[in-house]
Amino acid sequence: MSSRREFIEKLSITAISVPLLYSPAQLFAASSEPYEGPILKVAIMGLGSYGTRVAEAMQSCTRAKLVGVISGTPSKIKKWQSKYDIPEKNCYNYDNFDAIKNNPDIDAVYIITPNGLHKDQTIRVAKAGKHVISEKPMGINAQEGQEMVDVCKAANVKLLIGYRMHFEPKTVAVIQMRKDGDFGQPKFFQGQSGFTIGDPTQWRLNKELSGGGAMMDIGIYSINGARYMLGEEPVWVTAQETKTDPIKFKEGIDETIQFQMGFPSGAVANCLSTYSMNNLDRFYMTGSKGFVEMQPSTGYGPIEGRTHKGPLTQPHITHQTLQMDGMAALIFDGVQPIVPVDGEEGVKDMKIIDAIFKAAKTGQKVTL
Ligand code: NDP
């Protein structure tokens, strides 16, 4: 067995033994015992670009396993069946997947479809009695997000959002440093999240399927990052939108938004979300005693960065492998990541996105 796989196994076991906190010390402390606990049996819904990445990463998981698929494309189902040894009885399409209710071989469904479909698909999965992992953004507004939370609660299933950075070692280390007071009082966060989007016909530029443009897709990383880097919830936002290509970025599809957030302590954040510039994946935070800068800060990795104490040296491990093992630990043993990945966490980001859109449209400061 590769040493990387052994490392991940050790890492998962250590996390289980210390519920309720997923600190770097626990994350990296090794145990020599092999893992013999329950395995989270997952079906992926939506076999697109990110679904493929998650499936690959899950091959290295210790506590989670890909066992099923839900897809509208029969040829992809066939390919995945042979690649990942998925039995016919665990394959579904969008019309018949409510039948997972009667399939004891599936514990959870990971929804990796366009944003505008997450809510209805979450509700159907929850009603089938299975745990839901929904990709970010959890829906297209806070109201949808809250409905998803309520339905999953009523169905007594977990709702988790695909916040992979909450398991990423360098990010976890920085959050722990902030909690330990290493930066003193956090004062300012700067987040830059963007890339140049290609194909104008893709669902990401279709309001009904995406719910918005860059903000829903990539700007959300700066919102979520500001919250976990500063350790507070914003109380107001202001925002300014610029559009250079109104044909590609139609009404309701934001191309570039700059936004600011104010926090109860007086800390402020200044962020950029865009679909029209490359090389934007950077977080900077400064406090009364120190600073951290990360670039890249949320890409698939390796994440790189330094603080006033020196470079961040935690190892790179495939984010989605850590995430899925971490989510299995959460579902089976209640091991909480350092920052939550539950539906309520998703709703917090959606409320901020709603407020940013309102602020950009009205030019007003919006109170949260
Ligand atoms: P893709 O377009 O690559 O894949 C989406 C898949 O959803 C399709 O391949 C298709 O799979 C399925 N689908 C179902 N209905 C539709 C429809 N009407 N139009 C298009 N596709 C449909 O998108 P991504 O994989 O990049 O993104 C999916 C989700 O994952 C989004 O919510 C996105 O925000 C999130 N994401 C998260 C990332 C992260 O790092 N956490 C990174 C990238 C994306 P099938 O043919 O099997 O039905």
Side-chain angles (χ1 to χ4, degrees):
M1 191 186 282
S2 74
S3 58
R4 184 169 157 274
R5 174 144 190 143
E6 279 170 13
F7 175 77
I8 291 164
E9 282 190 2
K10 287 169 187 167
L11 198 150
S12 308
I13 293 152
T14 313
I16 311 161
S17 59
V18 191
L20 300 174
L21 187 67
Y22 211 154
S23 78
Q26 289 152 13
L27 193 64
F28 293 107
S31 154
S32 55
E33 295 160 43
Y35 177 68
E36 284 171 3
I39 302 287
L40 185 70
K41 293 168 288 173
V42 178
I44 290 184
M45 179 188 295
L47 315 183
S49 136
Y50 195 62
T52 301
R53 186 177 286 273
V54 171
E56 281 303 304
M58 284 185 72
Q59 301 313 295
S60 303
C61 280
T62 304
R63 311 200 66 197
K65 187 172 177 346
L66 172 66
V67 299
V69 291
I70 301 165
S71 168
T73 313
S75 58
K76 288 189 201 166
I77 296 183
K78 283 236 145 21
K79 207 167 132 202
W80 281 51
Q81 275 193 274
S82 72
K83 187 163 186 191
Y84 300 115
D85 199 17
I86 295 170
E88 191 67 33
K89 68 177 181 57
N90 291 355
C91 297
Y92 299 88
N93 59 42
Y94 298 114
D95 295 327
N96 68 13
F97 76 79
D98 307 273
I100 54 169
K101 185 179 179 151
N102 306 314
N103 189 337
D105 293 339
I106 295 173
D107 300 318
V109 174
Y110 194 161
I111 298 174
I112 316 185
T113 56
N115 315 334
L117 307 177
H118 295 174
K119 184 199 80 172
D120 287 350
Q121 290 167 340
T122 292
I123 291 172
R124 285 173 66 186
V125 171
K127 288 190 171 162
K130 306 295 179 180
H131 299 301
V132 182
I133 303 167
S134 166
E135 250 322 310
K136 46 57 54 181
M138 68 189 299
I140 61 168
N141 54 44
Q143 195 185 336
E144 281 202 0
Q146 190 57 52
E147 193 179 338
M148 291 161 73
V149 167
D150 295 342
V151 169
C152 289
K153 220 167 247 167
N156 203 22
V157 297
K158 289 255 189 295
L159 170 60
L160 307 179
I161 313 301
Y163 288 125
R164 62 186 160 77
M165 300 316 295
H166 297 196
F167 301 93
E168 191 283 316
K170 291 187 182 72
T171 304
V172 170
V174 167
I175 296 168
Q176 191 62 52
M177 282 180 73
R178 189 256 300 150
K179 287 186 171 215
D180 291 345
D182 287 349
F183 303 114
Q185 174 63 48
K187 298 273 191 190
F188 173 73
F189 171 84
Q190 185 180 43
Q192 297 167 341
S193 303
F195 64 94
T196 304
I197 196 157
D199 179 10
T201 65
Q202 64 186 290
W203 68 260
R204 282 184 162 78
L205 300 174
N206 170 333
K207 166 103 169 129
E208 211 173 305
L209 287 171
S210 62
M215 185 62 64
M216 288 284 177
D217 194 24
I218 191 80
I220 189 170
Y221 285 97
S222 274
I223 295 171
N224 196 251
R227 294 176 46 240
Y228 64 65
M229 299 282 274
L230 294 170
E232 288 188 272
E233 298 303 327
V235 287
W236 58 258
V237 302
T238 49
Q240 307 80 38
E241 180 173 6
T242 44
K243 203 172 274 209
T244 63
D245 187 346
I247 299 190
K248 187 168 184 180
F249 305 105
K250 302 205 162 42
E251 177 67 31
I253 298 290
D254 48 288
E255 177 186 345
T256 299
I257 294 182
Q258 295 185 73
F259 60 97
Q260 301 75 38
M261 296 184 275
F263 295 80
S265 67
V268 286
N270 195 3
C271 306
L272 174 67
S273 159
T274 182
Y275 262 162
S276 285
M277 298 170 219
N278 278 329
N279 307 309
L280 283 175
D281 181 9
R282 181 173 182 272
F283 285 178
Y284 176 80
M285 195 267 282
T286 188
S288 56
K289 289 192 195 157
F291 72 92
V292 53
E293 62 181 357
M294 301 169 88
Q295 184 178 16
S297 56
T298 66
Y300 298 134
I303 301 302
E304 288 179 23
R306 66 185 180 112
T307 73
H308 57 292
K309 292 187 167 172
L312 294 168
T313 55
Q314 292 74 15
H316 171 67
I317 302 167
T318 304
H319 298 177
Q320 298 81 6
T321 306
L322 282 178
Q323 174 199 330
M324 294 310 290
D325 273 337
M327 287 184 166
L330 193 163
I331 287 172
F332 288 129
D333 301 308
V335 181
Q336 293 297 331
I338 192 158
V339 177
V341 288
D342 54 23
E344 285 84 351
E345 173 77 7
V347 173
K348 287 178 185 169
D349 283 342
M350 297 311 305
K351 281 186 176 159
I352 297 167
I353 292 179
D354 287 352
I356 288 171
F357 286 160
K358 188 171 171 192
K361 199 168 180 177
T362 61
Q364 305 288 308
K365 185 175 190 176
V366 175
T367 304
L368 287 154

